[in-house]
Structure formats: C-alpha cells, structure tokens
Amino acid sequence: MTQTNVVVVGAGFAGVAATKQLAKKLKKNKEVTITLIDRHSYLTYMTELHEVAGGRVEPEAIQYDLQRLFARKKNVNLVTDNVTAVDHDKKVVTTENGSYSYDYLVLGMGGEPNDFGTPGVKEHGFTLWSLEDAIRLRHHIEATVAAAAVEHDAEKRAAMMRFVICGSGFTGIEMVGELLDWKDVLAKEYKFDASEIELIVVEAAPTILNTLPRQDADKAEKFMTKKGIKIMKDSPIISVGADSVLLKSGEELPTKTLVWTAGVKANTDTAEFGMEQARAGRLVANEFMEAKNLEDVYVIGDLVYYEEEEGKPTPQIVQAAEQTGHTAAVNVVAAIEGKEKHKFESNYQGTMVSIGSKYGVAYLMDKFHLSGFFAMLMKHIVNLKYFFDIRSGYYMVQYLFHEFFHIKNQRNIFRGHLSRYGNVLWSVPLRVFYGSMWCFEGVKKAFGLFGSQSWFGDNVALPFSWLQDVTSGASEVVEEVAEPIFGLSYVYGEEPMMVFSKAPDWFNSIMEFMIPTPEVALLFQKFMTCVEIAIGLALIAGLFTWLASAATVALVVSFTLSGMFYWVNMWFVFAAIALMNGSGRAFGLDYYVIPWIQKIAGKWWYGTPKSLYK
C-alpha cells in the first residue's frame, strides 16, 4: 500500500489540535505519516501573551516545545520552517528550506494584527500577536519607565508615563489590566509614584468588550474606571506618530507607547496560495472545513472563513480554533478510511477576560455570570483543562509553577500566598530533627532499645503496633489512668486521646487480607521499620524530601485508621507538609539530584528540545 502524507501547516491552537487528533485516530495505520510545519519549534500560548508583555511571567511560561507536546507520537514528524508556497496541482508545500508532498493538507497558519491601513501603526505602534511582540513590548515598557523616572521635563515625563491601548477586545483589556498590576511594581523599582502612570483605552465603538453580555462588560468597565483607567469610546485613531496619537475628534494624546489590538486578519502569507478569500483575508471553507473549490485541502483556526449563520463566521477564539481543527482532522481520517464526513458543529462554552491577575469577568454556558476571584479561578481551570485535552501533564505542572508557585509580587488570585520564592533555608533544622526522629524510632524497634520489641524477639507484634512505641512511654508509668483528654501534650495521670479508638471494619478487612498470618505480620513489621529508617535518612540528607514527606502523611493516615495514633502526634502531618516546599534544596541532596533526574528523565521521555526540527 502506498504511503499517505498528511501535512499540517501551523502549530497554533488549531494546528496542534488537528495534529493531536490525527495522531490519535491514525496511530495504528502505519501507511500514514503526519508532518507538522511551523516557523517556530514551539506552540505559543497566545491567550497569555499579555502576561509576558506585562511582566507577570517569563517568556518560557507560554512557550510549549512541540517535541514535548508530541512525545511518543511516532507518526508525527516536526519541521521548523516557513511555508512560502502551495502548489495545489502537484500537491506540494514549499518552504524556505525544502518541499513536502501531501495527499491531504491542513492549513492553520492563524492570523495577524489588522491596522486597517492606519498611518504610523507599523512604524510606531506595538502589536501583541506573537511571543516576539510580547517581549519587545515588555522591554520597551521597562526602558521607557526607567527613562521617565529620571526625566526632569514634566511634559516629556508625562508622555513617557502615558500608555495608550487601541482596542477594547479581550487582548486590549487584558493588556491594560496587566499594566494596572505592573505599575505598582515598576513604581517601587524605579522610585516614583505609581499614580504618575496613566492608562488609556481608546475604542472606536460606543461600547467595550462587545463579545461579552452587556452586564459583564459593564461590570468590567466599572472596575477599570474605579482603578483609574481612562476609557475613551467613540474615539477612532486616525494616525500614530513617534510621540503622540491623533484621534478623529482632533484630540492628540502625547505618548511613547501605543499598543494596537484593534483587529485581526488572516495570515498574509496565504494570499499567494491561490485560494478564495473573504473578509479580512480569511480563506473560505465549507461545513467540513474543506477549502472552497479545492480537493483534499482543509482550513482551520483564525484562518478559516465559515459562516455558522448567515453573515457570522466562526469567531477567532481558541474554542473555535480547536473545534475547527478537530473537524478537519476527523474528516481527513474519514477520507483516508472511506467513511462519512462530519459537519462542523460549534460548542462554545463561554467567554472570559482577565483585568490583571486578580480580577476578571466571565460568562459561561449561556447562564453563569462570574466576576472577581471566581472568574479568575475559572480561567486558570480552563487553561489547565487545555493541557489535559492535549494530554500534556508536563506543561500542566509547568503552568501551575509559573502561575502560582513561582509568581512574584503577589500577582495572582492568591496574592502570592502559594509562592515558593520564600527562603526554605529555615526549614533545614526541622527537616533534620524530623528525619532524626524517624531514624531513632526505626533503629529502636529494629534492635529492641528502650523496651521496644526487637526483630530478634520471640513474639510477633500486631500489624502497626510498633508505632505505639512513639507515645506509649508515659502511659506505662501510670498506675491509675484518668479519662482520656484531647490536647497537644499530656502529663502524669492523663492519657492522650486516640484519633480512632479502634480500626474501622473495612480497614480491618483490608489488613486481614494483606497480613493473613503471623509470619507475614513479622515480615511486614520489619519492612515498615526499614521504611521508617529510610524516610529518616532521606529527610536528614535532603534527598527526595517531597516523596519522603508525602510517604509520612500516607503512613500517618494508615496508623490513624489502625486505631493506634494519638491526636498529640498529629503534628507529624503538618511538619511533613511544611517540608514538602522544596526543603531538600537547602543544604540537601535534592539540590543536585532532582535537577539531574529531571534532565535525564526529560531527555528519555521527550528527547532533547531543539530550535529547529527537520
């Protein structure tokens, strides 16, 4: 059977979704090869560009290497190159460095900013449509604010401190929201009053955030106005200069920074592909995402023009990008396998916009209106769901680190309370003490010290009974014991209260199944004692402290359920949780071992990330 080549151009949300679907559906078909071509070796998480531009996260936080995304996808070839032409007759895609024949072609090259021919935007404005755009804007803002802080001329200083955002869609509002968050940090760093920074949103339409229900858009506008953001509606920009922005009304806004987020058009590289275009250069497709008047060519994402309703094309949002990508992929598979094709059916779950790191508004499933903390929490959940959908546990974890655990300046919904940037040095004494305690208890039981049952004795202790040595000393000297009390300490005449006075029946059943005989009980007792010593040594050395601490919590749960754990020792759990915060990296082996394991395991599982894939 001849080889079938499927070529996907563009590794954005749509291209990645289509390629993932193709790889999954065709993984057993050895005669099919999928080639994914993009000018970058990574997926840019476009919806978070404002976080990089606004100094909240570093660029790597929204860069997802394609090799990591397609690890173990043997039927996917990655190519880092720029597509220059498509020959529909010969079925060949030409790039700057090669050419690729195809049987089926999926175009997902996305869009680019639309300046509508406004003079000066290309020369003096900043766009926010790529990682390079975000980094360039971030560096410009930092440099401009640093220069303004030492500028003596009041008018020049004011112009440098004035930031104008053109467009009140999601990108523009999220960008001004990041600047709202960032201005206090910049003011502190460069020693000026944060109120000197002026933020202005300029919108040609009479309302803002027009893809949201009015009640949500109005709530967002009220929040921004309250925070001092100036919103100028019915104010089209007619030209942009190096030092100012001119409005249609004749008003001039002196500024060194104009961020243009007013519109999107199709990737202009596709203009030479010989395909029918519609509004804003988008390529026309039918309900199967097939390009008009072309066979075996599919169009997806921001690039496609397909009217779900008359006059209403698919929106240029992530949900539509992924859904058009899935539709195209399913229909390519159907064509290969000779099955019936499926029409595109949209299922948009809602829209949401963040205004800084702590506030947002959302409208979900046509009935739920959220704002503030819950809207932002939902946005993070949606982002995490994306990584689940593309089956990337690695980048799901990385997202959590970048957004919550490695965040600076309290710029998330938890105000930095989850940040790991605290000094873990002060946990070293606790770690060593905690580990020494576990070692001491284990050695005591192994050698029968201080009246404990030795491994070499004649009697076999009941399962888990060795833990009782930790708190049994006081009760042995009590001739008459008073009623049990609840507390964190106990004295002569008092008995500490157990968490459970006896093991639950279901737990006893599990233990009887696992430990059916005294011989197995003895073996299990010795094994658990070795585990206890191993945990202690690991904690003292600072090796695998997260796992050792997690094992401690699991053991305490087991001991509690066995009816042999006292409230007085419940601090075991909270000490273990405290030590899970990277305590092994301060004067511990985890400083060396964990990065080494991450490097080796990452190379084994994902391979070596490259800047060019061929």
Side-chain angles (χ1 to χ4, degrees):
M1 188 174 180
T2 57
Q3 190 74 17
T4 300
N5 296 315
V6 181
V7 175
V8 181
V9 181
F13 289 116
V16 167
T19 307
K20 283 276 186 178
Q21 188 81 345
L22 287 165
K24 178 182 178 181
K25 297 293 184 181
L26 298 170
K27 64 180 178 181
K28 294 182 179 180
N29 192 333
K30 304 301 182 183
E31 282 73 40
V32 177
T33 299
I34 305 161
T35 302
L36 176 59
I37 305 174
D38 194 273
R39 66 183 61 180
H40 297 300
S41 62
Y42 52 85
L43 161 71
T44 300
Y45 205 70
M46 296 283 289
T47 59
E48 308 303 322
L49 282 171
H50 58 278
E51 294 190 12
V52 174
R56 194 199 317 184
V57 300
E58 297 306 314
E60 60 267 21
I62 64 169
Q63 271 183 298
Y64 307 136
D65 187 82
L66 295 177
Q67 185 164 277
R68 290 188 183 274
L69 293 180
F70 291 97
R72 300 299 192 267
K73 303 297 183 186
K74 301 298 184 182
N75 55 352
V76 176
N77 296 323
L78 302 175
V79 174
T80 307
D81 211 339
N82 190 39
V83 173
T84 56
V86 176
D87 189 325
H88 300 294
D89 296 325
K90 295 180 179 179
K91 288 192 168 185
V92 173
V93 172
T94 302
T95 66
E96 292 177 350
N97 298 283
S99 61
Y100 303 86
S101 61
Y102 68 84
D103 296 287
Y104 300 93
L105 175 64
V106 181
L107 294 175
M109 300 170 70
E112 59 187 54
N114 190 351
D115 61 17
F116 304 103
T118 305
V121 173
K122 285 185 174 65
E123 296 81 4
H124 307 298
F126 292 85
T127 55
L128 195 57
W129 200 254
S130 67
L131 186 62
E132 292 83 359
D133 285 347
I135 294 171
R136 174 171 167 257
L137 178 56
R138 176 177 180 159
H139 290 167
H140 167 79
I141 292 171
E142 290 175 325
T144 301
V145 169
V150 294
E151 174 59 57
H152 290 271
D153 186 286
E155 289 188 6
K156 289 182 179 179
R157 181 183 176 103
M160 296 167 77
M161 293 285 197
R162 184 175 295 114
F163 298 91
V164 179
I165 312 297
C166 177
S168 67
F170 288 173
T171 303
I173 296 304
E174 291 189 324
M175 186 64 234
V176 79
E178 289 303 318
L179 292 175
L180 178 66
D181 263 11
W182 199 15
K183 71 175 187 176
D184 291 327
V185 178
L186 291 170
K188 182 178 180 181
E189 182 177 356
Y190 295 107
K191 297 183 289 186
F192 62 88
D193 194 315
S195 63
E196 291 189 60
I197 291 183
E198 184 180 6
L199 304 176
I200 303 175
V201 175
V202 178
E203 172 56 53
T207 54
I208 70 169
L209 289 171
N210 295 309
T211 54
L212 280 172
R214 285 291 5 124
Q215 71 175 88
D216 298 308
D218 291 343
K219 189 176 291 186
E221 182 175 354
K222 182 178 179 181
F223 173 82
M224 289 187 287
T225 303
K226 181 180 178 181
K227 292 294 184 179
I229 297 173
K230 185 177 181 181
I231 300 175
M232 302 179 68
K233 294 174 283 190
D234 286 316
S235 301
I237 292 176
I238 60 173
S239 69
V240 178
D243 301 308
S244 65
V245 172
L246 181 62
L247 304 182
K248 187 176 181 179
S249 64
E251 183 179 356
E252 192 170 5
L253 301 176
T255 182
K256 294 287 187 180
T257 309
L258 180 279
V259 185
W260 185 274
T261 67
V264 182
K265 62 182 178 180
N267 190 317
T268 52
D269 291 345
T270 63
E272 306 299 323
F273 289 0
M275 302 170 68
E276 184 171 333
Q277 296 181 331
R279 189 165 64 238
R282 297 169 71 178
L283 305 182
V284 181
N286 63 17
E287 68 271 29
F288 304 115
M289 296 298 111
E290 296 171 315
K292 188 174 181 180
N293 300 325
L294 290 171
E295 291 186 0
D296 305 324
V297 178
Y298 297 78
V299 189
I300 59 177
D302 290 348
L303 190 60
V304 68
Y305 186 91
Y306 167 66
E307 293 187 355
E308 298 184 69
E309 300 177 21
E310 187 174 352
K312 291 185 178 181
T314 54
Q316 292 168 300
I317 59 175
V318 175
Q319 294 176 75
E322 291 188 292
Q323 291 169 26
T324 55
H326 287 152
T327 299
V330 167
N331 288 327
V332 168
V333 173
I336 292 173
E337 297 178 349
K339 296 181 179 179
E340 184 180 354
K341 293 185 178 181
H342 297 271
K343 295 181 180 180
F344 174 75
E345 293 183 3
S346 61
N347 180 24
Y348 306 134
Q349 296 297 313
T351 52
M352 56 186 69
V353 60
S354 62
I355 309 172
S357 58
K358 304 177 184 69
Y359 187 87
V361 293
Y363 179 57
L364 307 175
M365 295 180 284
D366 295 328
K367 57 182 177 180
F368 296 111
H369 299 271
L370 302 177
S371 62
F373 175 90
F374 292 105
M376 289 301 297
L377 181 63
M378 183 55 64
K379 182 173 184 180
H380 288 300
I381 291 172
V382 168
N383 287 343
L384 289 171
K385 181 182 179 297
Y386 174 75
F387 300 114
F388 177 81
D389 290 342
I390 64 172
R391 302 297 187 267
S392 180
Y394 175 82
Y395 281 117
M396 181 182 288
V397 172
Q398 291 301 306
Y399 179 87
L400 289 171
F401 275 111
H402 287 299
E403 291 288 341
F404 295 101
F405 300 126
H406 291 170
I407 204 72
K408 295 180 179 178
N409 302 308
Q410 302 181 4
R411 293 180 69 180
N412 68 20
I413 54 174
F414 296 108
R415 268 68 176 179
H417 289 296
L418 300 183
S419 176
R420 271 191 55 191
Y421 279 121
N423 195 334
V424 295
L425 174 65
W426 309 116
S427 66
V428 173
L430 175 62
R431 194 191 79 213
V432 174
F433 167 75
Y434 198 52
S436 299
M437 185 196 71
W438 278 105
C439 276
F440 176 74
E441 291 299 326
V443 171
K444 181 176 69 174
K445 294 169 184 60
F447 295 98
L449 302 176
F450 304 104
S452 298
Q453 175 67 47
S454 169
W455 280 4
F456 309 105
D458 296 329
N459 299 322
V460 177
L462 294 173
F464 299 115
S465 63
W466 48 273
L467 181 74
Q468 288 179 299
D469 292 337
V470 177
T471 56
S472 62
S475 61
E476 291 175 357
V477 299
V478 179
E479 295 181 0
E480 279 190 35
V481 180
E483 289 296 317
I485 64 162
F486 175 79
L488 294 180
S489 63
Y490 56 93
V491 296
Y492 181 84
E494 295 177 345
E495 181 184 2
M497 180 183 289
M498 286 185 173
V499 179
F500 292 118
S501 58
K502 64 176 183 177
D505 292 339
W506 63 267
F507 187 76
N508 276 331
S509 299
I510 295 174
M511 289 297 98
E512 288 173 4
F513 174 78
M514 293 178 58
I515 310 173
T517 65
E519 290 75 20
V520 175
L522 178 60
L523 180 63
F524 190 78
Q525 182 179 2
K526 291 182 178 181
F527 171 75
M528 295 302 291
T529 302
C530 289
V531 169
E532 195 173 353
I533 294 173
I535 289 174
L537 292 174
L539 290 171
I540 292 171
L543 179 65
F544 303 128
T545 50
W546 195 96
L547 290 175
S549 300
T552 295
V553 175
L555 287 175
V556 169
V557 171
S558 298
F559 302 154
T560 300
L561 291 172
S562 70
M564 296 179 184
F565 199 78
Y566 298 101
W567 281 108
V568 71
N569 285 321
M570 194 53 72
W571 67 272
F572 284 28
V573 174
F574 302 105
I577 292 172
L579 294 176
M580 293 169 78
N581 188 27
S583 61
R585 298 199 181 218
F587 291 104
L589 295 180
D590 279 347
Y591 180 86
Y592 306 98
V593 174
I594 297 302
W596 180 80
I597 290 177
Q598 289 172 334
K599 179 181 178 181
I600 298 299
K603 187 173 182 179
W604 168 71
W605 186 259
Y606 298 110
T608 303
K610 301 173 184 176
S611 56
L612 289 175
Y613 291 113
K614 298 184 178 180

